[in-house]
Each structure stands twice: as structure tokens, then as C-alpha cells.
């Protein structure tokens, strides 16, 4: 059975080949614990097949919906990345190197689902917050921001008297 995000490997003639994929909500539903619940992306895989390996250039572009780290509201985050994957043909399947996969020479196809998913996640920014508008104002949920403000104490740490003697020792030296 051919996977929807698979590339045929067995019987592929040497030379360059191109594959296009569309990634939507159904793609992310495969990953139960995914922080991405939906998105619309295109993937272009340029495969350069040789006798002993295939060099894959993978380009992913589009948008995903993710939760804001600050207000927990969902917003659209652009995603764009380019990665390379070397697929070697051997006797035993081996994924120990993230940039090189060894697959048995008689393998019919290479399922790219997990590879696409991981690269989309890696393309997301570390801090995921609503982008600001043209005037530099936050697009976060104002009600949530107000609740956060109420719970954050504006008072600086009080002086702990247990440390006063230590500070005196440090300032004397």
C-alpha cells in the first residue's frame, strides 16, 4: 500500500525527480499530541537518484495554526524551511543519523510523514506569540493579558535579612 506522503524508491531511474505534496489538517491529526492542530503547507521534494543513494532536497512552505505562549489564543504562523536528506541503500534500516537514512535496497518506498512533521516543528520559532500589528501593539487577547497583569506581582523581591550579614562580608572585602 502506497502512503500519501511517500516517495517511490525501488525501480526509480537514476537522475532527478520531483514530488509535490499538500499538507493540511488531516496530516496533523495523525500526531495525537501535536501542538499544531491544523495548517496548510506545500512540500516539494527534489530527488537526485544515484545507484547507491538518493539525495533529497525538501522545501516546505505555508502556515500552521498554533497556540500563543502568552495568551493561549490560536494564531497563524508562517513556516518556511529547506532541508536535505541523504537516503543510502544498504542491508539494514538505520535512522541513527538525522540527516542520513539507510534503507534496504529492496524497499519500495520511503514514507516521509515523520520527516515532514519534524521539519515543520523545527521551523517554528522558540517563542510563539501573536505578531504585533503595524503600530507595534500586541495582537494577544486583551482580556487574557489583563488577567496576567493582575496575577503578576509588581513588587520586587524583598530584602531577606538572612542574607544581610553575608552582603556586609562581601562589601568589606
Amino acid at each position: 500500500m502506497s502512503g500519501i506522503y511517500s516517495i517511490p524508491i525501488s525501480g526509480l531511474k537514476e537522475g532527478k525527480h520531483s514530488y509535490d505534496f499538500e499538507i493540511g489538517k488531516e496530516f496533523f491529526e495523525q500526531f495525537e499530541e501535536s501542538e499544531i492542530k491544523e495548517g496548510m503547507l506545500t512540500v516539494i521534494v527534489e530527488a537526485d537518484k544515484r545507484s547507491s543513494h538518493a539525495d533529497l532536497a525538501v522545501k516546505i512552505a505555508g502556515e500552521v495554526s498554533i497556540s500563543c505562549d502568552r495568551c493561549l489564543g490560536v494564531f497563524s504562523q508562517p513556516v518556511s524551511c529547506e532541508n536535505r536528506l541523504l537516503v543510502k541503500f544498504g542491508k539494514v534500516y538505520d535512522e541513527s543519523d538525522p540527516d542520513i537514512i539507510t534503507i534496504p535496497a529492496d524497499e519500495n518506498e520511503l514514507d516521509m510523514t515523520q520527516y515532514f512533521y519534524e521539519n515543520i516543528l523545527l521551523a517554528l520559532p522558540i517563542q510563539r506569540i501573536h505578531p504585533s500589528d503595524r503600530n507595534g501593539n500586541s495582537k494577544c487577547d486583551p482580556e487574557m493579558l489583563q488577567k496576567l497583569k493582575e496575577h503578576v506581582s509588581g513588587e520586587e523581591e524583598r530584602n531577606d535579612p538572612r542574607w544581610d550579614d553575608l552582603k556586609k562580608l562581601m562589601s568589606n572585602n
Side-chain angles (χ1 to χ4, degrees):
M1 184 175 133
S2 179
I4 192 167
Y5 303 105
S6 294
I7 294 174
I9 294 293
S10 179
L12 192 63
K13 292 183 180 185
E14 287 189 28
K16 297 188 184 270
H17 306 272
S18 183
Y19 303 95
D20 297 344
F21 300 95
E22 295 291 327
I23 291 179
K25 185 176 182 176
E26 68 285 346
F27 176 85
F28 296 105
E29 289 173 347
Q30 297 176 65
F31 303 94
E32 289 181 24
E33 301 297 320
S34 177
E35 58 194 282
I36 302 172
K37 299 304 177 200
E38 60 183 73
M40 195 52 159
L41 302 115
T42 57
V43 179
I44 299 170
V45 178
E46 299 287 339
D48 187 4
K49 173 83 168 21
R50 303 287 176 202
S51 60
S52 63
H53 70 279
D55 189 3
L56 307 180
V58 180
K59 297 176 186 174
I60 301 173
E63 293 186 344
V64 295
S65 296
I66 56 175
S67 295
C68 176
D69 290 343
R70 185 184 300 148
C71 73
L72 303 179
V74 175
F75 70 100
S76 185
Q77 173 68 48
V79 172
S80 179
C81 62
E82 292 185 29
N83 300 287
R84 291 186 69 179
L85 178 65
L86 186 65
V87 180
K88 294 169 64 176
F89 306 113
K91 294 179 181 176
V92 182
Y93 195 84
D94 180 14
E95 282 188 39
S96 58
D97 185 327
D99 298 322
I100 301 172
I101 294 177
T102 302
I103 62 172
D106 61 348
E107 189 77 26
N108 290 330
E109 61 184 30
L110 177 62
D111 185 0
M112 299 291 289
T113 306
Q114 188 68 33
Y115 184 79
F116 292 165
Y117 178 71
E118 289 172 2
N119 281 287
I120 292 166
L121 285 181
L122 290 172
L124 294 175
I126 293 171
Q127 187 177 27
R128 299 162 189 168
I129 58 172
H130 280 92
S132 299
D133 65 15
R134 290 185 205 172
N135 301 323
N137 299 318
S138 173
K139 290 184 184 177
C140 283
D141 179 357
E143 288 181 37
M144 183 61 85
L145 290 180
Q146 184 58 40
K147 288 180 182 181
L148 285 170
K149 197 174 191 178
E150 291 170 7
H151 291 285
V152 174
S153 172
E155 187 179 320
E156 292 294 318
E157 281 186 37
R158 291 189 192 151
N159 230 1
D160 187 342
R162 296 175 290 177
W163 293 101
D164 288 343
D165 289 335
L166 181 59
K167 288 179 184 176
K168 287 178 191 174
L169 286 172
M170 289 176 54
S171 62
N172 288 337
N173 289 334

